Amino acid sequence: MGVLNWLDWLVLATTLLTIVGYGTWKTRGSKNVQDYVKGGNSAPWWTIGLSVMATQASAITFLSTPGQAFHDGMGFVQFYFGVPIAMIVICMVFIPLYDRLKVYTAYEFLENRFDGKTRTLTATLFLIQRGLAAGITIYAPAIILSAILHWNLTYLNIIIGTLVIIYTVSGGTKAVSITQKHQMGVIFLGMLIAFFLIISYLPEDITFTKALDIAGASGKMNILSFDFDLENRYTLWSGLIGGSFLALSYFGTDQSQVQRYLSGKSVKEMQMGLIFNGLLKVPMQFSILLVGVMVFVFYQFHNSPINFNPAAHNTVSNSAYANDYQRLEEEQLDIFKAKQSVLQNYVNTGDSKVTDELQLLNKKDRDNRNAAKVLIEKAAQDNDISIETNDKDYVFIHFILNNLPRGLVGLLLAVILSAAMSSTAGELNALASTTALDIYKRNFVSDKDETHYLKASKWFTFGWGVLAIIIACVAYLADNLIQLVNIIGSIFYGNVLGIFLLAFFFKYVKANAVFIAALITQGIVIIGWWFEWMPYLWLNLFGCILVILIALFIQNTQNINENVR
């Protein structure tokens, strides 16, 4: 493991360079800000839909989600249940307003409704969270590929960031949309091939139906949870309520998404693109999770590492805890061997008693893996280093490198890097547009011609790209990469969404009330996240309701005082 042969390198390099080269060539020569920021309003609905999907579906999605399913099952799909609801609301409310006002950015609308400082504040909140996310989007695949393939992490960050900067600076929104369309094609093809290969690698008597039975008996097919426990991150209610608010804010007010559909030919094309995304998003995530579940079934018949992170394994194997860790590995092998006869018995009989035996062995497996994590943490502390013990992000890449045929390894690595590039490109494009138009033009230089702002947009794209690479080079892993991005979004998105809902539906609320409420809310939400008042998904709903209530209170108080005077 860790060495690619010439065919993998050829497939990987050809795929990435072709997409970058085509995107740069096809969209060269933007003449004005309209072309650069809104792609000349030429995108059809399917390009919009795929571009919206590609901006959200970063490499983190394809690295972390299968690992999430491997360990925790299909329940994570509930996180996306709010997306279709949000798409309908955005199509009915947000898009017609944005189109009528002919805005370049979502935050431009807020100045029309409130004032310049509210526009600047909201744009700044976006720049902070999306700027951090852009760095993580590069860092996520880089840290994992670096650990698995022994590539230099800093060089990987620079290579991924530079490839994105080349075509994003050159062609703006149109380049991002065109490349994302092709990148999604590579991604769908790669994941489809991986899925069918996993099924083919199962023992001959294990059909897809029997594989699902094994996954179900192991607790991996529990899709819906009706639990109202706030400690449970992923339930039907957190997905429908918290997920809806997160999706409303992300797709409706985050410039990295708004810019994707504002490039549409017409309102109808924009709406159809978002509906397309809403209809496809949940099935896509379900399919990616199902790939992870099938990887779990595969490893029921093939021995797997007790921890998939090679850096964690190397650290503990060269520490004072090496013997203890080795004993856990031996116990893991015994558990694996015990499973073989139980699995065969279950496949042949489907007996509920056998199911209980299998669940007991799976519990021993989990306990053993958790015990290994404790040893890894102790070894890391003794060596005064930070090691990621949660190996969810390493499961799928381990399977790819150790089991797929040559050439297809290169294709799946191209999938991961394409996803990183497509998401990062959308983020850099939006960061530059927001900086150029909402901050630079609005507050500093407002009297220049189109050529000046076109050049400024390109320079800001380049600057944000460099900053994203720097953030990637100094980033640290969280519990799970896909959760880290969602947590960063949840800290800011609820507040931003509340500001937009105040703009849409509370016509009597004025700018000062909203501005003060937004500042107070952001402070409270950050404190709430820091002290873990609630699961991060609920921060979206909490922030949204809080800013609305505070703004209404301030405005009503001002109105009463004015009436008294």
Side-chain angles (χ1 to χ4, degrees):
M1 185 175 72
V3 179
L4 300 186
N5 76 352
W6 68 269
L7 185 57
D8 292 318
W9 280 112
L10 181 64
V11 172
L12 176 61
T14 302
T15 303
L16 296 183
L17 293 177
T18 300
I19 292 172
V20 171
Y22 180 77
T24 305
W25 171 77
K26 188 75 175 175
T27 59
R28 65 199 185 283
S30 297
K31 297 180 177 62
N32 52 46
V33 175
Q34 167 79 7
D35 283 347
Y36 194 77
V37 175
K38 298 176 78 173
N41 290 106
S42 60
W45 65 267
W46 61 86
T47 297
I48 294 169
L50 289 172
S51 187
V52 164
M53 205 176 298
T55 298
Q56 186 187 27
S58 68
I60 300 167
T61 303
F62 301 97
L63 284 168
S64 290
T65 307
Q68 185 97 16
F70 179 93
H71 285 292
D72 301 324
M74 297 290 293
F76 183 64
V77 75
Q78 296 169 110
F79 174 83
Y80 297 96
F81 282 179
V83 172
I85 299 169
M87 295 302 99
I88 294 169
V89 175
I90 293 168
C91 287
M92 292 174 64
V93 179
F94 289 64
I95 288 178
L97 270 172
Y98 290 153
D99 181 71
R100 188 166 71 246
L101 295 171
K102 305 300 179 190
V103 295
Y104 285 94
T105 74
Y107 318 110
E108 194 177 344
F109 159 74
L110 293 178
E111 181 168 13
N112 292 330
R113 172 64 180 83
F114 296 123
D115 60 6
K117 69 177 182 293
T118 305
R119 174 186 179 180
T120 300
L121 172 64
T122 314
T124 302
L125 292 177
F126 163 75
L127 292 174
I128 293 170
Q129 65 91 6
R130 189 48 59 189
L132 290 171
I136 294 165
T137 306
I138 293 174
Y139 174 70
I143 183 65
I144 294 164
L145 294 177
S146 170
I148 294 286
L149 297 169
H150 310 296
W151 295 349
N152 183 281
L153 176 58
T154 303
Y155 291 164
L156 259 176
N157 287 326
I158 293 171
I159 289 168
I160 295 170
T162 301
L163 286 173
V164 174
I165 288 171
I166 289 170
Y167 66 84
T168 310
V169 169
S170 171
T173 294
K174 197 168 185 180
V176 172
S177 296
I178 284 176
T179 52
Q180 283 178 330
K181 185 166 60 176
H182 293 95
Q183 284 160 338
M184 285 305 291
V186 171
I187 288 166
F188 284 143
L189 176 65
M191 294 304 287
L192 195 64
I193 291 172
F195 177 77
F196 284 108
L197 280 175
I198 295 168
I199 303 300
S200 72
Y201 289 161
L202 297 176
E204 287 186 12
D205 58 336
I206 305 298
T207 62
F208 177 58
T209 304
K210 288 181 178 178
L212 290 177
D213 288 340
I214 292 169
S218 303
K220 303 300 180 182
M221 297 304 293
N222 299 327
I223 298 172
L224 297 178
S225 171
F226 297 95
D227 193 353
F228 281 98
D229 182 10
L230 285 178
E231 295 300 314
N232 189 348
R233 281 177 173 175
Y234 305 116
T235 67
L236 180 67
W237 315 114
S238 68
L240 287 176
I241 301 171
S244 291
F245 277 83
L246 176 60
L248 261 178
S249 187
Y250 177 55
F251 291 103
T253 70
D254 188 306
Q255 183 61 19
S256 67
Q257 286 293 359
V258 173
Q259 198 158 332
R260 305 284 70 76
Y261 54 80
L262 285 185
S263 65
K265 291 179 180 178
S266 64
V267 169
K268 185 179 178 182
E269 297 283 337
M270 297 178 202
Q271 291 169 329
M272 286 177 64
L274 282 192
I275 293 298
F276 172 70
N277 174 64
L279 291 174
L280 207 60
K281 185 63 183 176
V282 174
M284 186 184 87
Q285 293 300 141
F286 182 92
S287 301
I288 297 169
L289 285 165
L290 192 59
V291 168
V293 168
M294 289 300 106
V295 170
F296 169 82
V297 175
F298 171 85
Y299 280 121
Q300 302 309 291
F301 299 97
H302 301 80
N303 196 23
S304 66
I306 195 169
N307 191 288
F308 285 89
N309 183 353
H313 175 82
N314 292 337
T315 298
V316 73
S317 296
N318 293 288
S319 72
Y321 307 97
N323 291 334
D324 294 333
Y325 190 76
Q326 188 176 354
R327 276 194 293 273
L328 288 176
E329 288 184 310
E330 290 168 357
E331 289 175 22
Q332 193 74 9
L333 184 59
D334 291 338
I335 294 169
F336 170 73
K337 289 176 180 176
K339 272 187 184 181
Q340 300 312 296
S341 60
V342 174
L343 283 168
Q344 198 59 52
N345 196 2
Y346 176 75
V347 169
N348 292 334
T349 66
D351 190 344
S352 59
K353 291 181 181 178
V354 182
T355 303
D356 293 340
E357 286 183 59
L358 184 58
Q359 289 176 349
L360 182 63
L361 286 170
N362 282 327
K363 184 181 184 302
K364 287 182 178 178
D365 181 285
R366 284 193 302 274
D367 291 344
N368 225 35
R369 291 180 187 276
N370 289 332
K373 289 179 182 179
V374 173
L375 292 180
I376 292 167
E377 286 175 357
K378 288 179 178 178
Q381 288 171 2
D382 288 354
N383 288 289
D384 197 26
I385 57 176
S386 176
I387 290 289
E388 175 57 27
T389 60
N390 189 335
D391 61 349
K392 291 177 182 178
D393 303 316
Y394 295 86
V395 172
F396 190 47
I397 190 72
H398 180 277
F399 170 81
I400 289 170
L401 292 172
N402 285 278
N403 298 284
L404 293 194
R406 294 305 178 187
L408 285 179
V409 172
L411 178 63
L412 265 293
L413 290 177
V415 166
I416 292 165
L417 293 174
S418 288
M421 289 162 57
S422 65
S423 189
T424 306
E427 290 166 340
L428 297 186
N429 188 219
L431 287 165
S433 302
T434 302
T435 307
L437 302 177
D438 292 309
I439 306 296
Y440 178 70
K441 182 179 180 181
R442 172 63 184 78
N443 297 294
F444 299 104
V445 181
S446 58
D447 56 352
K448 298 292 184 178
D449 59 15
E450 283 280 302
T451 305
H452 176 84
Y453 295 115
L454 175 61
K455 290 179 179 177
S457 296
K458 291 187 175 185
W459 276 110
F460 282 127
T461 303
F462 177 79
W464 277 110
V466 172
L467 183 60
I469 292 172
I470 293 171
I471 292 171
C473 289
V474 298
Y476 294 95
L477 278 175
D479 176 50
N480 180 249
L481 290 168
I482 197 165
Q483 287 181 8
L484 178 58
V485 172
N486 289 330
I487 287 168
I488 291 172
S490 295
I491 291 169
F492 295 95
Y493 279 146
N495 190 14
V496 173
L497 176 61
I499 295 170
F500 274 85
L501 293 181
L502 283 164
F504 291 150
F505 301 115
F506 298 88
K507 299 298 183 185
Y508 74 93
V509 178
K510 301 295 191 295
N512 284 340
V514 174
F515 185 78
I516 295 168
L519 289 175
I520 294 171
T521 297
Q522 197 57 65
I524 293 173
V525 169
I526 290 172
I527 292 170
W529 162 73
W530 183 260
F531 289 102
E532 297 182 350
W533 290 349
M534 63 191 76
Y536 70 85
L537 256 183
W538 291 101
L539 290 174
N540 297 283
L541 177 62
F542 175 69
C544 180
I545 292 175
L546 187 63
V547 71
I548 291 173
L549 291 177
I550 294 174
L552 292 176
F553 173 77
I554 293 172
Q555 188 61 58
N556 288 328
T557 302
Q558 289 176 347
N559 291 345
I560 290 169
N561 291 337
E562 288 174 4
N563 291 334
V564 169
R565 286 199 295 270

